[in-house]
Amino acid sequence: MGVRFKLSFVFLFYCIFHLPVNAQNKADVTVNFDKKISEMKPIWAWFGYDEPNYTYMKDGQKLLTDISKLSPVPVYVRTHNLLTSGDGTPALKWGSTNVYTEDEKGNPVYNWTIVDRIFDTYIKRGMKPLAQIGFMPEALSTKPQPYQHKWKPGTRYEEILTGWAYPPKDYTKWANLAYEWVKHCVERYGKKEVESWYWEVWNEADGAYWKGTQAEFFKLYDYAADGVKRALPAARIGGANVTGGGSRYLDAFIKHCLLDTNYATGKIGSPLDAVLFHAKGSPKVVNGTVVMNLRTELRNVEANYKVINKYPQLKNIPVIIGEFDPEGCAACGMATNPENAYRNGTMYSSYTAASFARLYQLTDQYNINLLGAVSWSFEFENQPWFAGFRDLATNGVNKPVLNVFKMFGMMSGNRVEATSNQMYPLQTVLDSSIRKPVSDIGVLAAKSQNAATVMIWNYHDEDKKGNIDQVSISLKGLDKKSVIITRYLIDDENSNSYEAWKKMGSPQSPTASQILELEKSSELKSVGKPIKFNLDQGPFQFELSRQGVTLLSIK
């Protein structure tokens, strides 16, 4: 009895002084590098935003440079307001290029200066446009006044809906605008380059952004597609970029493109080189805590995948999720929308990791040719520091979420089989999101010829921290007994400019030295030095806090 007591005391002493503080769960992860699932397609390397004029501004150019370096393939960029009338002065949820005006006789006058400046910024960095043909120029709108809105966060969203949202007064002029634009792009950038882009018509015509009927939108699409194809027959165009809940509208749009009489040509069918739709989550504040909803976003995806799979004519058609986000309004900060408080810290990072991993799973399940999922998150020029917008950087300093995309950029080759006993099954997420008491400690892994990568996140819908969980990874199927492991980490202490900013006292006018410190803290950080690890030792082990994300780079 005395020996048992001594052993129990020794074990208790060990637990108190050697186990991690607040350790709650132990995740057992197994990666089989010799079991290929599919290509590790960089579906994450697509980004978008409302305000096109931010593209060539100081912080916009810096962020685009950072984004362009993330991916082994060209990054695609989508933005609104490329045809909107105005002098190019940006504002929240607004931008303009003034490409189209008319003279006193009603003849079109084209001016490509501003839109060229936008596309030049992309092309210079090896990026490619997902070029949106919209919105309606003032001179073409059936209801041109009022035109430029004065919307601010906290005011009614409907205030943005002005003359740019209406159908054209002349569809032939609309088609010719598309024709002249594509023709100009071919002359400026070359036929081969423009053939590698994607074009799409409008945005969320099933929602607030379109003040015409469904039939009028189909007509808008037909005439725009006709103009694009006349200028460049091999150009790739698609639609309809419906809202997250717009699967029925997408169904009607696909039927029109496949079976209906084309409004522009009088023939059956309309060009459809890609199918596009949106998917959004829906966070809420519950008892003072932000609670995300990954289920809503993924079910948006699933509903549209089901529509696409109804049509055998669309087998293997390229699919682009035109906006793939935790919720709907990038320019609504946390001051007016407290449910958006997740955006500055690591919850946005872990949500992004968990959501893209499930998107890969869902895409496999429905056998969809997904090219990309656009994160509608860029930057907001000259706004308060860490204002809670859905952005990747604030005043030129990258936020923690951008480091998840840096991690994705390090993953290449093929996705391989990886399991975790603490990872929620896909169907559970589709049914009820991540709501059980335990968090989702999930895994995504890839292997190329000379390297392997493993991403692990500790995510929960409920924005609470404190738990530090243990992770044990068995690395199988590698043809070496010894590997070099570099571990990268995003948590409160690593790769996190937001926590560094708060420790400074949350300055809204940081000094030059503070900005340098913030920039340094924003970089993706490795934990310690690379480790030589013998696989015969057993699993590789470490700790990961809730809402943290880590990447193992194995060579």
Side-chain angles (χ1 to χ4, degrees):
M1 191 74 173
V3 172
R4 282 186 182 177
F5 176 82
K6 288 180 180 178
L7 288 174
S8 298
F9 180 82
V10 169
F11 178 75
L12 179 61
F13 180 89
Y14 177 86
C15 289
I16 292 172
F17 289 98
H18 291 272
L19 290 185
V21 178
N22 293 328
Q24 299 294 316
N25 302 299
K26 184 174 184 294
D28 293 317
V29 177
T30 301
V31 181
N32 294 303
F33 289 105
D34 56 351
K35 294 187 178 180
K36 171 186 171 181
I37 296 176
S38 184
E39 178 189 357
M40 182 70 199
K41 291 172 68 174
I43 60 173
W44 52 269
W46 298 63
F47 298 91
Y49 45 103
D50 290 78
E51 301 84 2
N53 307 103
Y54 288 164
T55 302
Y56 48 78
M57 296 180 75
K58 177 176 63 72
D59 293 339
Q61 290 197 58
K62 178 183 180 298
L63 181 56
L64 284 170
T65 298
D66 291 343
I67 291 172
S68 70
K69 295 177 180 178
L70 300 181
S71 173
V73 299
V75 172
Y76 279 82
V77 188
R78 175 178 185 253
T79 184
H80 294 336
N81 294 298
L82 288 174
L83 300 181
T84 305
S85 300
D87 63 4
T89 301
L92 295 180
K93 296 194 73 65
W94 176 261
S96 58
T97 62
N98 221 42
V99 298
Y100 182 94
T101 54
E102 293 180 356
D103 64 20
E104 61 277 2
K105 295 182 179 180
N107 298 313
V109 178
Y110 303 106
N111 185 339
W112 310 113
T113 304
I114 295 177
V115 76
D116 282 351
R117 193 176 179 189
I118 294 166
F119 281 11
D120 287 354
T121 306
Y122 301 152
I123 302 304
K124 181 181 178 181
R125 291 162 174 78
M127 308 170 95
K128 296 182 182 295
L130 168 53
Q132 184 182 123
I133 305 173
F135 296 118
M136 194 58 60
E138 186 175 5
L140 270 182
S141 175
T142 54
K143 189 181 178 183
Q145 295 301 324
Y147 195 76
Q148 182 172 350
H149 64 73
K150 303 296 181 183
W151 180 87
K152 294 181 180 180
T155 56
R156 292 171 56 251
Y157 194 79
E158 291 75 13
E159 291 184 17
I160 74 168
L161 307 172
T162 54
W164 59 264
Y166 286 83
K169 63 183 183 183
D170 187 320
Y171 281 89
T172 299
K173 287 183 176 180
W174 169 253
N176 287 337
L177 171 56
Y179 167 81
E180 294 291 346
W181 188 16
V182 176
K183 177 172 168 283
H184 169 77
C185 288
V186 171
E187 292 168 352
R188 187 174 184 85
Y189 304 108
K191 180 172 176 283
K192 183 178 180 181
E193 172 61 33
V194 180
E195 284 178 347
S196 71
W197 302 358
Y198 281 89
W199 299 81
E200 47 108 357
V201 181
W202 219 256
N203 175 71
E204 297 186 347
D206 63 312
Y209 279 73
W210 177 243
K211 288 299 184 181
T213 64
Q214 184 180 89
E216 286 173 321
F217 172 69
F218 294 167
K219 187 176 181 179
L220 185 87
Y221 180 86
D222 288 352
Y223 273 86
D226 178 65
V228 169
K229 293 290 188 177
R230 279 192 286 120
L232 183 63
R236 301 181 292 188
I237 189 168
N241 260 322
V242 295
T243 60
S247 57
R248 288 185 180 180
Y249 198 102
L250 183 68
D251 196 358
F253 172 76
I254 291 172
K255 285 179 181 176
H256 169 74
C257 291
L258 295 177
L259 305 173
D260 290 351
T261 300
N262 187 301
Y263 285 96
T265 67
K267 299 177 181 179
I268 297 298
S270 194
L272 186 63
D273 303 306
V275 177
L276 301 97
F277 61 85
H278 295 176
K280 305 282 187 176
S282 56
K284 295 180 180 179
V285 176
V286 180
N287 297 324
T289 301
V290 175
V291 180
M292 308 295 281
N293 196 334
L294 183 53
R295 168 186 181 268
T296 301
E297 186 173 0
L298 293 174
R299 290 189 71 156
N300 285 170
V301 175
E302 184 178 44
N304 287 290
Y305 277 2
K306 287 178 178 178
V307 168
I308 295 166
N309 277 347
K310 284 173 55 177
Y311 298 93
Q313 306 97 309
L314 301 184
K315 185 175 177 61
N316 294 323
I317 192 169
V319 173
I320 301 167
I321 304 177
E323 296 178 22
F324 183 70
D325 304 295
E327 34 62 43
C329 179
C332 300
M334 60 188 182
T336 56
N337 296 74
E339 70 276 12
N340 293 338
Y342 76 90
R343 293 169 167 180
N344 287 329
T346 59
M347 190 178 201
Y348 193 6
S349 309
S350 58
Y351 181 100
T352 299
S355 61
F356 271 94
R358 272 35 183 255
L359 181 58
Y360 279 112
Q361 291 181 326
L362 197 58
T363 302
D364 290 343
Q365 182 175 312
Y366 283 90
N367 195 28
I368 293 290
N369 179 22
L370 180 65
L371 296 186
V374 177
S375 294
W376 202 255
S377 48
F378 187 54
E379 66 96 20
F380 292 85
E381 205 87 18
N382 301 319
Q383 294 292 334
W385 287 82
F386 294 100
F389 293 127
R390 190 171 68 240
D391 49 13
L392 304 174
T394 177
N395 290 282
V397 173
N398 296 333
K399 293 167 68 171
V401 66
L402 187 65
N403 284 317
V404 171
F405 293 108
K406 288 183 180 180
M407 289 179 173
F408 278 128
M410 298 168 69
M411 304 183 76
S412 61
N414 294 310
R415 283 184 291 125
V416 297
E417 183 182 86
T419 60
S420 167
N421 68 334
Q422 296 290 341
M423 184 172 180
Y424 284 52
L426 175 60
Q427 191 57 52
T428 300
V429 181
L430 289 168
D431 290 341
S432 55
S433 202
I434 311 292
R435 297 295 174 86
K436 295 178 181 178
V438 296
S439 57
D440 175 57
I441 304 178
V443 58
L444 180 70
K447 185 178 183 296
S448 60
Q449 187 172 358
N450 298 313
T453 45
V454 182
M455 180 187 286
I456 296 176
W457 57 89
N458 188 341
Y459 170 74
H460 198 281
D461 277 347
E462 202 171 20
D463 192 11
K464 290 183 177 178
K465 295 185 178 180
N467 294 359
I468 301 175
D469 298 319
Q470 293 179 296
V471 180
S472 176
I473 306 182
S474 297
L475 304 171
K476 299 182 177 181
L478 294 172
D479 55 4
K480 304 288 183 182
K481 287 189 176 182
S482 180
V483 295
I484 303 296
I485 299 178
T486 303
R487 182 177 168 226
Y488 299 89
L489 179 62
I490 307 168
D491 63 9
D492 282 352
E493 303 299 325
N494 299 277
S495 317
N496 193 328
S497 59
Y498 181 53
E499 290 297 324
W501 179 71
K502 288 196 296 183
K503 289 176 182 177
M504 292 176 180
S506 306
Q508 280 301 329
S509 299
T511 64
S513 61
Q514 286 177 319
I515 291 174
L516 286 174
E517 185 179 342
L518 290 172
E519 289 176 341
K520 185 177 180 180
S521 68
S522 74
E523 296 171 359
L524 180 60
K525 184 179 177 182
S526 60
V527 182
K529 296 181 179 180
I531 299 171
K532 187 174 182 180
F533 185 75
N534 190 324
L535 298 177
D536 292 336
Q537 292 178 219
F540 184 76
Q541 300 184 53
F542 56 87
E543 298 168 2
L544 186 62
S545 60
R546 182 156 159 170
Q547 311 302 8
V549 185
T550 194
L551 181 86
L552 306 184
S553 176
I554 304 167
K555 297 182 179 179

